[in-house]
Amino acid sequence: MADGALPISSLKGKVSEAEWQARVDLAALYRLVALHGWDDMIFTHISARIPGPEHHFLINPYGMFFGEMTASCLVKVDLDGNIVDKTPYYINPAGFTIHSAIHAAREDAHYVMHLHSDQGTAVSAHKEGLLPLTQHSLIVLPQVAYHDYEGIALNLDERERLVADLGDKKLMMLRNHGTLSVGASAAECWLGMFFLERACAQQVMALSIGRDNVLLAPDAAQEEVRKQTGMGMGLIGGLAWPGCLRKLDRELPGYAD
């Protein structure tokens, strides 16, 4: 635990094996976001549904930086926003609004990540949205949905519209706001966001020379990539995830505490 943070006792062995694994994977996601520079101090959120009939999910303690996150410090809440287990922390209401909506509506939404990166937010504010400019963008475009900005996500009524706009897609551009990724596993959630954020960064760089001077990928190539990536991020996410954890162990260890 970082200096200045409230002391948290380890929960390893005190929760089910399934919950502990979800905690470790979720803490790893927070650390990976920090490692890539996509965090926004104590703001934005990543959540994980805990296996079981209760539909409890884990989310970040409000006030801790992403690079400080550990498996034991994550806060368990129910779908009404009530904190389930005793903790010295509380949660960000805006995070609860977005994440509770998706966890409640999508059985496959085991992990939900929402970011405010500079590049992702920039593209979310672009009238044309994500353009078919690079291979990264072509990979994610079939899975990208859009949701119009309604203000800071404190209005619970927005949840219905957010879920409707997401539909069955795995990725979303929150207009004037940021990016979102949904995954059946931490690996799938991470890889979807990785490709989306890279595509956004590449678009911002490409458009720096002006909209009229960029080359959109041919329609036939777009369709070919759509066919080639029809299986989604789950399989290749599983291949990349162990390496991501090894990178964390080298450069930002401690997430599994």
Side-chain angles (χ1 to χ4, degrees):
M1 187 66 63
D3 291 343
L6 293 176
I8 298 289
S9 299
S10 175
L11 294 178
K12 189 172 184 179
K14 300 176 183 178
V15 297
S16 68
E17 289 186 13
E19 178 175 336
W20 181 249
Q21 188 60 56
R23 285 178 171 274
V24 171
D25 287 343
L26 182 56
L29 287 175
Y30 277 104
R31 297 287 187 106
L32 284 168
V33 169
L35 200 61
H36 283 74
W38 295 338
D39 49 341
D40 186 16
M41 204 161 67
I42 65 171
F43 309 104
T44 77
H45 325 276
I46 316 171
S47 60
R49 179 186 297 145
I50 299 172
E54 299 87 358
H55 289 283
H56 292 159
F57 66 94
L58 301 165
I59 199 164
N60 50 315
Y62 202 18
M64 287 186 64
F65 279 52
F66 281 25
E68 300 175 315
M69 220 62 69
T70 67
S72 297
C73 78
L74 296 161
V75 180
K76 187 193 303 187
V77 299
D78 63 23
L79 289 176
D80 294 319
N82 300 307
I83 293 177
V84 176
D85 291 335
K86 184 178 179 181
T87 174
Y89 289 103
Y90 57 99
I91 65 170
N92 184 338
F96 168 75
T97 300
I98 293 171
H99 291 255
S100 63
I102 298 172
H103 282 301
R106 292 274 297 266
E107 281 297 322
D108 64 329
H110 293 177
Y111 292 82
V112 180
M113 179 185 296
H114 165 48
L115 303 180
H116 294 163
S117 76
D118 292 342
Q119 295 89 349
T121 304
V123 174
S124 78
H126 193 271
K127 183 185 295 186
E128 294 182 277
L130 187 64
L131 296 168
L133 295 175
T134 65
Q135 180 166 283
H136 280 72
S137 65
L138 297 188
I139 288 171
V140 298
L141 272 170
Q143 283 297 321
V144 175
Y146 290 84
H147 175 65
D148 288 340
Y149 187 58
E150 299 186 23
I152 296 174
L154 297 174
N155 182 0
L156 295 180
D157 291 343
E158 186 180 354
R159 293 190 292 183
E160 183 177 341
R161 295 182 291 276
L162 178 71
V163 166
D165 287 338
L166 181 61
D168 61 355
K169 300 293 182 68
K170 294 290 183 73
L171 302 169
M172 177 174 270
M173 303 298 299
L174 299 167
R175 290 292 198 179
N176 310 102
H177 188 176
T179 54
L180 185 139
S181 175
V182 171
S185 65
E188 182 181 31
C189 184
W190 169 249
L191 199 67
M193 183 60 81
F194 178 84
F195 273 91
L196 178 58
E197 286 288 341
R198 288 292 295 272
C200 288
Q202 291 161 359
Q203 178 165 319
V204 169
M205 295 174 72
L207 292 184
S208 68
I209 62 174
R211 176 64 175 81
D212 294 336
N213 295 312
V214 296
L215 180 66
L216 299 181
D219 290 344
Q222 294 184 44
E223 180 58 29
E224 182 65 19
V225 174
R226 184 188 297 268
K227 294 176 183 176
Q228 293 170 333
T229 58
M231 294 179 65
M233 298 288 180
L235 177 61
I236 54 175
L239 293 173
W241 186 246
C244 292
L245 298 183
R246 293 193 299 271
K247 185 178 180 68
L248 279 182
D249 289 336
R250 291 191 303 270
E251 300 183 29
L252 199 56
Y255 64 92
D257 292 342

